[in-house]
Amino acid sequence: MDPDVVEKLEKFFTKYKPQKYKKGEILVRAGDNPLGVFYLTEGYIKKYAISQKGDELVVNIFKPISFFPMSHAINNSPNDYYYEAAVPVTVYRAPNSEVVKFVKENPDVLYDLISRVYRGTDGMLAKMTYLMAGSAYDRLITELVIHAKRFGIREGNTIELKVSEKDLAAQSGLTRETVSREIKILKDKGLLILGKSIQIPDISKLEGELLEDI
């Protein structure tokens, strides 16, 4: 992110009182109107819905530096999602009207926001493609690639992912058992290395598995 944009965001949001949430605490519940826009400076927040079967369906994970939910602030859209602290987090919350005014007065911040929206849209479209037509194998690879590009820790060509099979299941819409089975297949092919974390030795080869099915 542009350092000037970060500086503006920090200056604007830190005027408000910081709020800390423990892992598992809910910031906003589905059906509730958010009382403002949250600015995340520490930790991760997951946005999810609950299926009719009671399963958690993760649609996004916010990392520093993010501010949300902007759809409600700008369009007054109904909120259908839960926002939960995936780890201990620190956020600042500003009134919707003030955030909208701030964004309108700062074109560089608005441009950065639009850029984020389009990157997120690209990721969601990739997910939808494989949810509609792809196999469980394709869906898991898509989720691994998206997660690697957003949260992976790179050392040389290897990317480390600190994500559990349970989280991958929630994010890909698969069962945990299916995720475990497909991960073993990827491991046997040498596309993943398993240990205390998941390691991707060459993400281009992992993405190549998707291209073979097109």
Side-chain angles (χ1 to χ4, degrees), residues 1 3 12-13 20 47 49 61 66 74 78-79 83 105 118 121 129 141 153 157 164 172 174 177 180 182-183 198-199:
M1 182 186 290
F12 172 77
F13 279 101
K20 293 185 180 292
K47 173 183 177 180
I61 297 177
S66 302
I74 295 174
N79 172 52
Y83 293 80
E105 292 175 349
Y118 274 103
T121 300
T129 299
I141 291 176
I153 302 170
N157 289 329
S164 68
S172 60
L174 300 169
E177 292 75 18
S180 182
E182 301 302 331
I183 280 180
I198 297 174
Q199 294 185 338

Side-chain angles (χ1 to χ4, degrees), residues 24-205:
E25 285 194 294
I26 305 293
L27 285 73
V28 182
R29 295 183 180 276
D32 291 347
N33 287 327
L35 299 177
V37 174
F38 293 92
Y39 176 64
L40 176 65
T41 58
E42 294 180 19
Y44 297 101
I45 291 174
K46 58 182 178 180
K47 173 183 177 180
Y48 63 91
I50 301 295
S51 73
Q52 291 183 343
K53 295 181 180 179
D55 296 323
E56 185 179 293
L57 303 174
V58 177
V59 296
N60 197 10
I61 297 177
F62 296 97
K63 63 179 182 178
I65 296 167
S66 302
F67 51 103
F68 57 88
M70 286 302 292
S71 180
H72 178 75
I74 295 174
N75 300 317
N76 199 29
S77 302
N79 172 52
D80 298 322
Y81 301 98
Y82 292 85
Y83 293 80
E84 178 182 318
V87 296
V89 303
T90 300
V91 296
Y92 295 82
R93 188 175 67 191
N96 289 335
S97 59
E98 292 300 312
V99 176
V100 172
K101 179 182 177 183
F102 166 70
V103 170
K104 286 181 176 180
E105 292 175 349
N106 292 273
D108 52 345
V109 175
L110 179 59
Y111 179 85
D112 179 80
L113 175 61
I114 293 172
S115 177
R116 287 167 181 253
V117 169
Y118 274 103
R119 284 198 300 270
T121 300
D122 288 342
M124 290 300 295
L125 288 174
K127 275 186 161 185
M128 287 175 61
T129 299
Y130 289 103
L131 281 171
M132 290 187 292
S135 63
Y137 185 74
D138 293 332
R139 288 160 63 179
L140 178 60
I141 291 176
T142 301
E143 194 57 52
L144 286 167
V145 169
I146 291 172
H147 198 91
K149 290 181 176 180
R150 292 193 65 198
F151 305 104
I153 302 170
R154 182 181 287 274
E155 287 190 16
N157 289 329
T158 300
I159 299 176
E160 180 183 13
L161 303 182
K162 295 183 178 180
V163 61
S164 68
E165 290 184 1
K166 179 183 176 182
D167 290 335
L168 287 171
Q171 293 163 31
S172 60
L174 300 169
T175 65
R176 188 169 179 177
E177 292 75 18
T178 299
V179 168
S180 182
R181 182 185 69 240
E182 301 302 331
I183 280 180
K184 185 178 184 304
I185 294 173
L186 290 168
K187 173 181 176 292
D188 292 342
K189 287 186 175 184
L191 295 169
L192 295 181
I193 300 171
L194 305 181
K196 292 183 178 179
S197 61
I198 297 174
Q199 294 185 338
I200 303 173
D202 189 333
I203 194 168
S204 62
K205 288 184 180 180

